[in-house]
């Protein structure tokens, strides 16, 4: 191929680097939108929060928010999934394969405290979701959490019952 040109079907290093930077900026923009939406949904509630408000707080335009999330309801679902993901991820980082049953329970509780303390608006957001919507928007995120973290917690309780650490009278 001629000097300075890349053969068809091959990508040069500079093009790859530009693509990576674009993807990083895109991820940062999505996170900025989620951060703003999370704060506004917590303080104002789902119904009172508008895409325009989220756009203003995140310093993005409304069209870009719709590009990333299609609708306010979809954005709200992403916010709730991210909240649940933070808790699950924090718990997973504290639990090892060899964790004793009581350590698993402590890790789950400590992870919730750590995430909620680091993000003081999250308890309000979760309370609003439960009160205003009876957790309807959070159902997919809760199912995901149930399949992973809560199942691990149930298994720890059962293991603790079998080894005598916990009372057999507890129904996991």
């Amino acid at each position: 191929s001629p000097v300075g040109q890349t053969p068809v079907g091959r990508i040069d290093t500079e093009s790859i680097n530009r693509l990576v930077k674009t993807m990083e900026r895109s991820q940062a923009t999505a996170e900025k939108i989620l951060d703003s939406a999370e704060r506004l949904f917590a303080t104002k509630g789902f119904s009172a929060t508008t895409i325009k408000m989220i756009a203003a707080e995140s310093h993005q335009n409304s069209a870009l928010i719709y590009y990333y999330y299609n609708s306010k309801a979809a954005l709200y679902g992403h916010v709730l999934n991210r909240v649940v993901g933070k808790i699950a991820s924090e718990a997973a980082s504290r639990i090892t394969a060899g964790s004793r049953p009581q350590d698993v329970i402590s890790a789950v509780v400590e992870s919730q405290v750590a995430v909620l303390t680091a993000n003081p608006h999250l308890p309000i957001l979760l309370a609003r979701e439960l009160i205003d919507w009876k957790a309807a928007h959070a159902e997919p995120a809760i199912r995901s959490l149930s399949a992973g973290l809560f199942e691990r917690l149930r298994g720890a309780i059962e293991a603790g019952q079998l080894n005598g650490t916990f009372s057999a009278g507890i129904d996991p």
Side-chain angles (χ1 to χ4, degrees):
S1 64
V3 176
Q5 292 186 0
T6 303
V8 176
R10 299 190 68 196
I11 299 176
D12 62 287
T13 304
E14 186 178 321
S15 295
I16 291 172
N17 289 339
R18 274 196 313 271
L19 180 60
V20 168
K21 286 180 184 174
T22 299
M23 291 171 64
E24 288 171 349
R25 279 193 306 272
S26 179
Q27 182 62 35
T29 299
E31 289 297 317
K32 188 186 277 190
I33 293 167
L34 285 171
D35 290 342
S36 296
E38 195 173 283
R39 279 189 298 278
L40 287 167
F41 287 139
T43 57
K44 301 192 178 300
F46 177 80
S47 296
T49 300
T50 65
I51 291 293
K52 282 186 176 185
M53 294 165 74
I54 296 166
E57 180 158 321
S58 64
H59 306 290
Q60 307 299 322
N61 72 40
S62 297
L64 185 66
I65 293 173
Y66 283 113
Y67 172 78
Y68 279 98
Y69 299 104
N70 295 344
S71 68
K72 183 171 84 166
L75 174 57
Y76 187 62
H78 281 277
V79 166
L80 292 173
N81 282 332
R82 188 171 79 156
V83 168
V84 169
K86 285 178 185 178
I87 293 170
S89 176
E90 181 68 26
S93 74
R94 295 170 182 257
I95 300 170
T96 65
S99 292
R100 298 175 306 159
Q102 59 269 36
D103 295 335
V104 171
I105 292 171
S106 293
V108 170
V109 172
E110 290 167 2
S111 66
Q112 290 175 353
V113 170
V115 170
L116 296 177
T117 301
N119 303 277
H121 56 279
L122 291 184
I124 297 165
L125 175 68
L126 295 173
R128 279 186 178 277
E129 171 61 14
L130 290 170
I131 293 167
D132 295 347
W133 303 101
K134 296 184 174 89
H137 295 106
E139 191 175 329
I142 292 169
R143 276 195 195 132
S144 172
L145 194 60
S146 295
L149 183 59
F150 291 159
E151 184 58 31
R152 180 73 193 266
L153 187 57
R154 186 190 61 73
I157 293 169
E158 287 178 347
Q161 288 173 323
L162 289 173
N163 73 18
T165 302
F166 303 134
S167 167
I170 299 172
D171 182 9

